[in-house]
């Protein structure tokens, strides 16, 4: 906290201007470090550049920018240098969230930190309600004997069926073999 402005609070400092992709990047690091083993003691954390790209859907340049040059990420992640192996090859860089990074993700989850392009808790609640309505509508179609027909089409199909039965009965009464009149199909 700055000594020049005593009104500045920790929560103001902990609210960086980050994007939806930044949140995806941070969440990916958290998930990878919580669910994967390091696998190699020379690598600082399981969240390696390749794993971050694979899980987040971010491209190489987006991951590299956040690991190397992004001022926004400076206090939110710790970047572990790529190890150099005995054969001279470099391993992947890896990253971990700092306490500040964890706090930012918690603020996003609670809805205390709005991110452009990222759904708010209210957006999620509205979408969940819409999803329930869509599921209800689909189940009504599935439960209907005519599927996705509206009432008018259902009525027309029922009339056609009744007419078909009437014609079949009439042809049968006239001793007409309908099989002789069916078109040939393969």
């Amino acid at each position: 906290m700055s000594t020049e402005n005593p009104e500045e609070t920790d929560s103001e400092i902990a609210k960086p201007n980050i994007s939806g992709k930044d949140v995806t990047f941070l969440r990916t690091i958290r998930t990878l470090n919580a669910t994967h083993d390091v696998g190699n003691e020379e690598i600082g954390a399981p969240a390696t550049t390749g794993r971050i790209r694979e899980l987040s859907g971010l491209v190489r340049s987006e991951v590299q920018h956040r690991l190397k040059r992004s001022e926004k990420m400076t206090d939110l992640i710790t970047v572990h240098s790529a190890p150099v192996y005995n054969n001279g090859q470099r391993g992947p860089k890896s990253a971990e969230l700092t306490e500040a990074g964890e706090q930012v993700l918690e603020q996003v989850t609670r809805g205390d930190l709005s991110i452009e392009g990222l759904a708010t808790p209210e957006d999620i609640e509205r979408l969940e309600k819409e999803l329930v309505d869509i599921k209800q509508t689909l189940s009504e179609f599935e439960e209907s004997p005519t599927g996705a027909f509206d009432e008018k089409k259902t009525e027309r199909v029922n009339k056609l069926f009744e007419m078909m039965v009437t014609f079949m009965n009439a042809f049968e009464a006239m001793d007409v073999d309908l099989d002789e009149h069916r078109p040939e199909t393969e």
Side-chain angles (χ1 to χ4, degrees):
M1 196 158 48
S2 170
T3 56
E4 294 175 15
N5 186 358
E7 294 175 12
E8 201 172 288
T9 66
D10 288 338
S11 63
E12 289 171 339
I13 293 171
K15 291 186 178 185
N17 179 23
I18 61 175
S19 68
K21 285 186 177 184
D22 294 331
V23 172
T24 298
F25 175 77
L26 294 172
R27 284 181 173 158
T28 302
I29 290 172
R30 178 199 278 171
T31 299
L32 287 169
N33 287 334
T35 59
H36 287 71
D37 290 327
V38 173
N40 182 333
E41 61 213 32
E42 295 180 38
I43 297 174
T48 60
T49 53
R51 286 179 173 167
I52 293 169
R53 280 195 321 269
E54 185 178 311
L55 185 61
S56 69
L58 298 172
V59 296
R60 172 181 239 105
S61 61
E62 292 172 322
V63 172
Q64 289 299 327
H65 169 73
R66 285 167 178 82
L67 288 174
K68 289 182 185 176
R69 297 176 293 279
S70 178
E71 291 292 321
K72 296 186 267 187
M73 294 293 139
T74 301
D75 295 331
L76 304 180
I77 61 172
T78 300
V79 178
H80 299 282
S81 298
V84 178
Y85 300 118
N86 292 336
N87 62 5
Q89 287 188 326
R90 295 180 65 84
K93 285 184 180 178
S94 61
E96 293 181 276
L97 293 183
T98 63
E99 189 174 321
E102 290 286 352
Q103 288 174 358
V104 166
L105 286 182
E106 289 304 316
Q107 289 173 342
V108 170
T109 301
R110 287 192 313 264
D112 297 342
L113 181 60
S114 61
I115 306 294
E116 187 174 331
L118 195 64
T120 64
E122 293 81 21
D123 293 334
I124 293 170
E125 187 176 317
R126 181 182 48 78
L127 291 171
E128 285 174 342
K129 184 183 178 330
E130 286 180 23
L131 183 59
V132 167
D133 292 345
I134 290 169
K135 283 181 179 179
Q136 178 63 35
T137 301
L138 286 175
S139 71
E140 288 171 7
F141 283 142
E142 290 171 0
E143 292 170 6
S144 167
T146 57
F149 286 165
D150 62 16
E151 193 173 314
K152 189 173 183 178
K153 285 184 181 179
T154 300
E155 191 175 306
R156 288 174 60 195
V157 167
N158 286 338
K159 284 183 180 180
L160 285 171
F161 182 74
E162 289 172 5
M163 288 173 49
M164 185 178 70
V165 170
T166 301
F167 283 123
M168 285 175 55
N169 290 338
F171 287 134
E172 193 174 290
M174 294 185 290
D175 231 8
V176 175
D177 184 8
L178 292 177
D179 289 331
E180 290 178 10
H181 300 283
R182 288 181 203 258
E184 290 184 29
T185 58
E186 294 179 25

